Amino acid sequence: MDLTTAYRRYLAAVVRFHLAAADAGGLGATDYQAASLLDSEGPMTSGELGRMLRLSPSATTRAVDRLIAAGIAERAADPDDRRRILVRHTGLLPDGLLDLLARVQEPIGAAVAGLTDAQREGLEVYLRAATEAYRGALDR
Amino acid sequence: MDLTTAYRRYLAAVVRFHLAAADAGGLGATDYQAASLLDSEGPMTSGELGRMLRLSPSATTRAVDRLIAAGIAERAADPDDRRRILVRHTGLLPDGLLDLLARVQEPIGAAVAGLTDAQREGLEVYLRAATEAYRGALDR
DNA sequence: TGCAACTATTGCACGTGTGCAACTAAGGAG
DNA sequence: CTCCTTAGTTGCACACGTGCAATAGTTGCA
Protein backbone atom coordinates (compact mmCIF):
# COMPACT_ATOMS: atom_id res chain seq x y z
CA MET A 1 0.00 0.00 0.00
CA ASP A 2 1.50 3.29 -1.05
CA LEU A 3 1.66 6.45 1.00
CA THR A 4 -1.09 8.23 -0.89
CA THR A 5 -3.57 5.45 -0.31
CA ALA A 6 -2.59 5.20 3.33
CA TYR A 7 -3.03 8.94 3.65
CA ARG A 8 -6.51 8.94 2.14
CA ARG A 9 -7.63 6.19 4.45
CA TYR A 10 -6.09 7.98 7.36
CA LEU A 11 -7.92 11.22 6.60
CA ALA A 12 -11.24 9.44 6.21
CA ALA A 13 -10.67 7.69 9.54
CA VAL A 14 -9.70 10.89 11.35
CA VAL A 15 -12.76 12.81 10.25
CA ARG A 16 -15.07 9.88 10.84
CA PHE A 17 -13.69 9.25 14.30
CA HIS A 18 -13.97 12.83 15.43
CA LEU A 19 -17.53 13.19 14.22
CA ALA A 20 -18.41 9.96 15.98
CA ALA A 21 -16.65 11.25 19.10
CA ALA A 22 -18.69 14.43 18.97
CA ASP A 23 -21.84 12.37 18.72
CA ALA A 24 -20.78 10.15 21.60
CA GLY A 25 -20.44 13.27 23.70
CA GLY A 26 -23.85 14.53 22.69
CA LEU A 27 -22.38 17.34 20.63
CA GLY A 28 -23.07 18.45 17.09
CA ALA A 29 -20.22 18.94 14.65
CA THR A 30 -20.22 22.69 15.18
CA ASP A 31 -20.09 22.44 18.95
CA TYR A 32 -17.31 19.91 18.77
CA GLN A 33 -15.23 22.14 16.57
CA ALA A 34 -15.83 25.08 18.84
CA ALA A 35 -14.72 23.03 21.83
CA SER A 36 -11.61 21.85 19.99
CA LEU A 37 -10.67 25.39 19.05
CA LEU A 38 -11.19 26.71 22.56
CA ASP A 39 -9.06 23.88 23.86
CA SER A 40 -6.18 24.21 21.40
CA GLU A 41 -6.15 27.96 20.88
CA GLY A 42 -7.19 29.19 24.29
CA PRO A 43 -9.91 31.67 25.26
CA MET A 44 -11.24 33.95 22.55
CA THR A 45 -14.15 36.29 22.01
CA SER A 46 -17.44 35.13 20.61
CA GLY A 47 -16.74 37.00 17.40
CA GLU A 48 -13.34 35.39 16.87
CA LEU A 49 -14.85 31.98 17.42
CA GLY A 50 -17.61 32.69 14.95
CA ARG A 51 -15.20 33.87 12.30
CA MET A 52 -13.00 30.81 12.70
CA LEU A 53 -15.97 28.50 12.30
CA ARG A 54 -17.57 30.66 9.59
CA LEU A 55 -20.72 31.03 11.63
CA SER A 56 -23.18 33.90 11.82
CA PRO A 57 -23.21 35.82 15.11
CA SER A 58 -26.47 34.22 16.10
CA ALA A 59 -25.31 30.70 15.36
CA THR A 60 -22.19 31.41 17.40
CA THR A 61 -24.21 32.56 20.37
CA ARG A 62 -26.33 29.42 20.17
CA ALA A 63 -23.28 27.17 19.91
CA VAL A 64 -21.70 28.78 22.96
CA ASP A 65 -25.02 28.44 24.79
CA ARG A 66 -24.96 24.71 24.13
CA LEU A 67 -21.35 24.33 25.22
CA ILE A 68 -22.12 26.14 28.45
CA ALA A 69 -25.19 24.00 29.07
CA ALA A 70 -22.91 20.98 28.64
CA GLY A 71 -20.39 22.39 31.10
CA ILE A 72 -17.65 22.52 28.47
CA ALA A 73 -17.21 26.27 28.21
CA GLU A 74 -17.96 29.43 30.13
CA ARG A 75 -18.41 33.08 29.34
CA ALA A 76 -16.41 35.85 30.97
CA ALA A 77 -16.51 39.59 30.50
CA ASP A 78 -13.61 41.12 28.62
CA PRO A 79 -12.09 43.75 30.94
CA ASP A 80 -10.74 45.80 28.03
CA ASP A 81 -13.97 46.07 26.07
CA ARG A 82 -17.20 45.32 27.80
CA ARG A 83 -19.03 44.67 24.56
CA ARG A 84 -16.89 41.61 24.06
CA ILE A 85 -17.48 38.28 25.75
CA LEU A 86 -14.58 35.93 26.29
CA VAL A 87 -15.37 32.27 25.89
CA ARG A 88 -13.09 29.76 27.46
CA HIS A 89 -12.87 26.02 27.84
CA THR A 90 -13.58 24.73 31.33
CA GLY A 91 -11.42 21.66 30.78
CA LEU A 92 -14.40 19.39 31.17
CA LEU A 93 -15.72 17.08 28.47
CA PRO A 94 -18.66 14.66 28.32
CA ASP A 95 -17.80 11.18 29.59
CA GLY A 96 -18.59 9.37 26.37
CA LEU A 97 -16.28 11.70 24.52
CA LEU A 98 -13.44 11.27 26.99
CA ASP A 99 -13.73 7.50 26.77
CA LEU A 100 -13.43 7.53 23.02
CA LEU A 101 -10.51 9.95 23.02
CA ALA A 102 -8.67 7.88 25.60
CA ARG A 103 -8.94 4.80 23.42
CA VAL A 104 -6.98 6.37 20.59
CA GLN A 105 -4.50 8.39 22.61
CA GLU A 106 -2.87 5.33 24.05
CA PRO A 107 -2.04 3.42 20.86
CA ILE A 108 -1.10 6.56 18.96
CA GLY A 109 1.04 7.80 21.80
CA ALA A 110 2.80 4.45 21.96
CA ALA A 111 3.53 4.49 18.24
CA VAL A 112 4.94 8.01 18.40
CA ALA A 113 6.99 7.22 21.48
CA GLY A 114 8.64 4.38 19.60
CA LEU A 115 9.90 6.67 16.86
CA THR A 116 13.55 7.61 16.43
CA ASP A 117 14.44 11.29 16.57
CA ALA A 118 14.63 11.54 12.79
CA GLN A 119 11.30 9.78 12.37
CA ARG A 120 9.61 12.04 14.87
CA GLU A 121 11.01 15.01 13.04
CA GLY A 122 9.27 13.86 9.89
CA LEU A 123 5.98 13.66 11.73
CA GLU A 124 6.47 17.14 13.16
CA VAL A 125 7.22 18.62 9.77
CA TYR A 126 4.05 17.11 8.41
CA LEU A 127 1.92 18.28 11.32
CA ARG A 128 3.08 21.86 11.04
CA ALA A 129 2.89 22.01 7.27
CA ALA A 130 -0.57 20.47 7.23
CA THR A 131 -1.88 22.74 9.97
CA GLU A 132 -0.66 25.80 8.13
CA ALA A 133 -1.98 24.55 4.79
CA TYR A 134 -5.42 23.81 6.19
CA ARG A 135 -5.68 27.17 7.87
CA GLY A 136 -4.36 29.02 4.88
CA ALA A 137 -6.78 27.34 2.53
CA LEU A 138 -9.72 28.48 4.64
CA ASP A 139 -8.48 32.04 5.01
CA ARG A 140 -8.71 32.82 1.34
CA MET B 1 5.65 24.65 20.97
CA ASP B 2 5.70 21.02 21.95
CA LEU B 3 4.47 18.10 19.90
CA THR B 4 1.28 17.61 21.90
CA THR B 5 0.16 21.18 21.36
CA ALA B 6 1.06 21.01 17.69
CA TYR B 7 -0.92 17.82 17.42
CA ARG B 8 -4.03 19.26 19.01
CA ARG B 9 -3.95 22.25 16.71
CA TYR B 10 -3.39 19.98 13.78
CA LEU B 11 -6.38 17.81 14.60
CA ALA B 12 -8.64 20.80 15.07
CA ALA B 13 -7.47 22.18 11.72
CA VAL B 14 -7.98 18.88 9.91
CA VAL B 15 -11.53 18.41 11.09
CA ARG B 16 -12.40 22.04 10.55
CA PHE B 17 -10.98 22.05 7.06
CA HIS B 18 -12.76 18.94 5.95
CA LEU B 19 -16.11 20.09 7.24
CA ALA B 20 -15.60 23.41 5.49
CA ALA B 21 -14.62 21.53 2.34
CA ALA B 22 -17.80 19.49 2.53
CA ASP B 23 -19.78 22.67 2.85
CA ALA B 24 -17.97 24.27 -0.07
CA GLY B 25 -19.03 21.31 -2.17
CA GLY B 26 -22.63 21.58 -1.05
CA LEU B 27 -22.39 18.40 0.98
CA GLY B 28 -23.40 17.66 4.54
CA ALA B 29 -20.96 16.01 6.92
CA THR B 30 -22.54 12.60 6.40
CA ASP B 31 -22.41 12.79 2.63
CA TYR B 32 -18.81 13.92 2.73
CA GLN B 33 -17.82 11.01 4.90
CA ALA B 34 -19.66 8.61 2.66
CA ALA B 35 -17.86 10.01 -0.37
CA SER B 36 -14.50 9.75 1.39
CA LEU B 37 -15.13 6.15 2.30
CA LEU B 38 -16.23 5.19 -1.17
CA ASP B 39 -13.14 6.86 -2.53
CA SER B 40 -10.61 5.35 -0.16
CA GLU B 41 -12.17 1.92 0.39
CA GLY B 42 -13.71 1.28 -2.97
CA PRO B 43 -17.25 0.16 -3.86
CA MET B 44 -19.36 -1.37 -1.12
CA THR B 45 -22.97 -2.26 -0.48
CA SER B 46 -25.42 0.19 0.98
CA GLY B 47 -25.49 -1.83 4.19
CA GLU B 48 -21.73 -1.81 4.62
CA LEU B 49 -21.65 1.92 4.08
CA GLY B 50 -24.38 2.44 6.63
CA ARG B 51 -22.63 0.31 9.23
CA MET B 52 -19.36 2.16 8.77
CA LEU B 53 -21.06 5.49 9.22
CA ARG B 54 -23.34 4.20 11.95
CA LEU B 55 -26.42 5.20 10.00
CA SER B 56 -29.86 3.64 9.86
CA PRO B 57 -30.79 1.94 6.59
CA SER B 58 -33.09 4.77 5.66
CA ALA B 59 -30.53 7.48 6.36
CA THR B 60 -28.05 5.53 4.27
CA THR B 61 -30.41 5.36 1.32
CA ARG B 62 -31.02 9.08 1.57
CA ALA B 63 -27.31 9.86 1.76
CA VAL B 64 -26.61 7.75 -1.32
CA ASP B 65 -29.52 9.47 -3.09
CA ARG B 66 -27.90 12.82 -2.42
CA LEU B 67 -24.48 11.65 -3.61
CA ILE B 68 -26.02 10.35 -6.82
CA ALA B 69 -27.90 13.59 -7.36
CA ALA B 70 -24.57 15.38 -7.00
CA GLY B 71 -22.94 13.04 -9.50
CA ILE B 72 -20.45 11.75 -6.94
CA ALA B 73 -21.63 8.16 -6.68
CA GLU B 74 -23.69 5.63 -8.57
CA ARG B 75 -25.62 2.50 -7.74
CA ALA B 76 -25.01 -0.84 -9.40
CA ALA B 77 -26.68 -4.20 -8.91
CA ASP B 78 -24.69 -6.81 -7.05
CA PRO B 79 -24.48 -9.84 -9.38
CA ASP B 80 -24.06 -12.29 -6.47
CA ASP B 81 -27.05 -11.16 -4.46
CA ARG B 82 -29.70 -9.09 -6.10
CA ARG B 83 -30.98 -7.76 -2.81
CA ARG B 84 -27.74 -5.88 -2.41
CA ILE B 85 -26.88 -2.62 -4.13
CA LEU B 86 -23.29 -1.73 -4.76
CA VAL B 87 -22.44 1.92 -4.36
CA ARG B 88 -19.34 3.25 -6.00
CA HIS B 89 -17.58 6.55 -6.42
CA THR B 90 -17.76 8.04 -9.88
CA GLY B 91 -14.51 9.92 -9.42
CA LEU B 92 -16.26 13.25 -9.75
CA LEU B 93 -16.41 15.87 -7.03
CA PRO B 94 -18.07 19.30 -6.83
CA ASP B 95 -15.87 22.11 -8.13
CA GLY B 96 -15.75 24.07 -4.90
CA LEU B 97 -14.59 20.99 -3.10
CA LEU B 98 -11.89 20.20 -5.65
CA ASP B 99 -10.58 23.73 -5.43
CA LEU B 100 -10.23 23.57 -1.69
CA LEU B 101 -8.59 20.16 -1.75
CA ALA B 102 -6.12 21.28 -4.39
CA ARG B 103 -5.03 24.17 -2.23
CA VAL B 104 -3.85 21.92 0.57
CA GLN B 105 -2.50 19.05 -1.50
CA GLU B 106 0.22 21.16 -3.00
CA PRO B 107 1.87 22.54 0.15
CA ILE B 108 1.45 19.28 2.05
CA GLY B 109 2.81 17.27 -0.85
CA ALA B 110 5.80 19.59 -1.07
CA ALA B 111 6.54 19.23 2.62
CA VAL B 112 6.33 15.45 2.45
CA ALA B 113 8.44 15.33 -0.70
CA GLY B 114 11.19 17.18 1.11
CA LEU B 115 11.45 14.58 3.85
CA THR B 116 14.39 12.20 4.17
CA ASP B 117 13.65 8.49 4.03
CA ALA B 118 13.82 8.16 7.80
CA GLN B 119 11.55 11.14 8.29
CA ARG B 120 9.01 9.81 5.84
CA GLU B 121 9.10 6.50 7.66
CA GLY B 122 8.09 8.25 10.85
CA LEU B 123 5.12 9.82 9.12
CA GLU B 124 4.07 6.49 7.69
CA VAL B 125 4.25 4.79 11.06
CA TYR B 126 2.02 7.47 12.50
CA LEU B 127 -0.50 7.32 9.65
CA ARG B 128 -0.93 3.58 9.92
CA ALA B 129 -1.05 3.50 13.71
CA ALA B 130 -3.56 6.34 13.83
CA THR B 131 -5.77 4.84 11.14
CA GLU B 132 -5.90 1.55 12.97
CA ALA B 133 -6.48 3.23 16.33
CA TYR B 134 -9.34 5.35 15.02
CA ARG B 135 -11.02 2.41 13.36
CA GLY B 136 -10.53 0.16 16.33
CA ALA B 137 -11.96 2.71 18.72
CA LEU B 138 -15.16 2.89 16.70
CA ASP B 139 -15.53 -0.85 16.33
CA ARG B 140 -15.94 -1.48 20.01
C1' DT C 1 -43.38 -25.14 -2.20
C1' DG C 2 -43.87 -22.38 1.76
C1' DC C 3 -41.79 -19.57 5.11
C1' DA C 4 -38.43 -16.99 7.66
C1' DA C 5 -34.53 -13.85 7.32
C1' DC C 6 -32.31 -10.20 4.98
C1' DT C 7 -31.52 -5.84 1.86
C1' DA C 8 -32.93 -1.72 0.46
C1' DT C 9 -36.36 1.97 -0.35
C1' DT C 10 -40.34 5.21 0.75
C1' DG C 11 -43.93 7.89 3.74
C1' DC C 12 -43.98 10.40 7.59
C1' DA C 13 -42.91 13.20 11.52
C1' DC C 14 -39.62 15.11 14.42
C1' DG C 15 -35.45 17.46 16.36
C1' DT C 16 -31.61 20.34 15.53
C1' DG C 17 -28.89 23.97 13.72
C1' DT C 18 -28.96 27.93 10.92
C1' DG C 19 -29.55 32.78 9.01
C1' DC C 20 -32.08 37.03 8.96
C1' DA C 21 -33.76 40.93 11.19
C1' DA C 22 -34.53 43.58 15.20
C1' DC C 23 -32.69 44.90 19.55
C1' DT C 24 -29.56 46.14 23.61
C1' DA C 25 -25.25 47.60 25.24
C1' DA C 26 -20.74 49.65 24.81
C1' DG C 27 -17.00 52.07 22.52
C1' DG C 28 -15.10 56.01 19.67
C1' DA C 29 -15.02 60.23 16.76
C1' DG C 30 -16.73 64.76 15.94
C1' DC D 1 -23.23 65.35 24.23
C1' DT D 2 -24.61 63.19 19.74
C1' DC D 3 -24.05 60.09 16.24
C1' DC D 4 -22.07 56.14 14.10
C1' DT D 5 -19.96 51.76 14.51
C1' DT D 6 -19.17 47.37 16.71
C1' DA D 7 -20.32 43.09 19.80
C1' DG D 8 -23.43 40.03 21.20
C1' DT D 9 -28.19 38.22 22.11
C1' DT D 10 -33.13 36.99 21.03
C1' DG D 11 -37.58 36.01 18.14
C1' DC D 12 -38.77 33.76 14.27
C1' DA D 13 -39.07 30.71 10.47
C1' DC D 14 -37.03 27.54 7.57
C1' DA D 15 -34.17 23.80 5.57
C1' DC D 16 -31.86 19.58 6.48
C1' DG D 17 -30.78 15.04 8.08
C1' DT D 18 -32.58 11.43 10.80
C1' DG D 19 -35.21 7.36 12.78
C1' DC D 20 -39.30 4.57 12.84
C1' DA D 21 -42.58 1.84 10.62
C1' DA D 22 -44.36 -0.21 6.62
C1' DT D 23 -43.33 -2.14 2.05
C1' DA D 24 -41.20 -4.70 -2.03
C1' DG D 25 -38.03 -7.76 -3.70
C1' DT D 26 -34.58 -11.62 -2.91
C1' DT D 27 -32.37 -15.51 -0.77
C1' DG D 28 -32.03 -19.82 1.53
C1' DC D 29 -33.77 -23.39 4.43
C1' DA D 30 -37.32 -26.86 5.75
Side-chain angles (χ1 to χ4, degrees), chain B residues 17-136:
Chain B
F17 172 83
H18 283 279
L19 290 179
D23 208 58
L27 300 174
T30 299
D31 300 14
Y32 185 76
Q33 288 184 85
S36 296
L37 276 173
L38 291 173
D39 175 50
S40 67
E41 305 300 322
M44 63 185 80
T45 67
S46 188
E48 288 170 334
L49 185 60
R51 279 189 293 275
M52 281 197 178
L53 296 175
R54 296 191 144 56
L55 248 41
S56 71
S58 96
T60 307
T61 295
R62 267 42 184 278
V64 173
D65 286 346
R66 291 189 295 268
L67 288 184
I68 290 175
I72 296 171
E74 55 192 6
R75 276 188 250 252
D78 183 330
D80 298 336
D81 184 340
R82 287 187 305 186
R83 291 171 302 180
R84 288 193 241 265
I85 301 286
L86 283 175
V87 185
R88 72 161 187 262
H89 203 288
T90 58
L92 302 176
L93 283 178
D95 289 344
L97 180 48
L98 278 178
D99 289 349
L100 216 43
L101 290 177
R103 281 188 212 165
V104 296
Q105 278 165 359
E106 187 208 295
I108 293 177
V112 172
L115 260 38
T116 66
D117 286 351
Q119 286 175 334
R120 183 158 33 242
E121 246 176 51
L123 175 56
E124 282 199 50
V125 168
Y126 161 74
L127 293 180
R128 296 186 205 288
T131 304
E132 196 177 342
Y134 284 132
R135 290 185 180 179

Side-chain angles (χ1 to χ4, degrees), chain A residues 1-3 5-21 29 32-33 36-37 39-41 52-54 100 103-104 107-108 111-112 115 118-131 133-138 140, chain B residues 1-3 5-21 29 32-33 36-37 39-41 52-54 100 103-104 107-108 111-112 115 118-131 133-138 140:
Chain A
M1 182 172 67
D2 66 278
L3 185 56
T5 302
Y7 189 52
R8 292 223 296 248
R9 291 192 179 169
Y10 161 77
L11 284 177
V14 173
V15 176
R16 186 155 43 102
F17 171 83
H18 283 279
L19 290 179
Y32 185 76
Q33 288 185 86
S36 295
L37 275 174
D39 175 51
S40 65
E41 304 300 322
M52 282 197 177
L53 296 176
R54 298 193 144 55
L100 216 43
R103 281 188 212 166
V104 295
I108 293 177
V112 172
L115 261 38
Q119 287 174 334
R120 183 157 33 240
E121 248 176 50
L123 176 57
E124 283 198 50
V125 167
Y126 161 74
L127 292 179
R128 296 187 205 287
T131 304
Y134 285 134
R135 290 185 180 178
L138 293 182
R140 298 201 305 191
Chain B
M1 182 170 70
D2 65 272
L3 185 56
T5 302
Y7 190 52
R8 291 223 296 249
R9 291 191 180 169
Y10 162 76
L11 284 177
V14 174
V15 176
R16 186 154 46 100
F17 172 83
H18 283 279
L19 290 179
Y32 185 76
Q33 288 184 85
S36 296
L37 276 173
D39 175 50
S40 67
E41 305 300 322
M52 281 197 178
L53 296 175
R54 296 191 144 56
L100 216 43
R103 281 188 212 165
V104 296
I108 293 177
V112 172
L115 260 38
Q119 286 175 334
R120 183 158 33 242
E121 246 176 51
L123 175 56
E124 282 199 50
V125 168
Y126 161 74
L127 293 180
R128 296 186 205 288
T131 304
Y134 284 132
R135 290 185 180 179
L138 292 181
R140 297 202 306 189

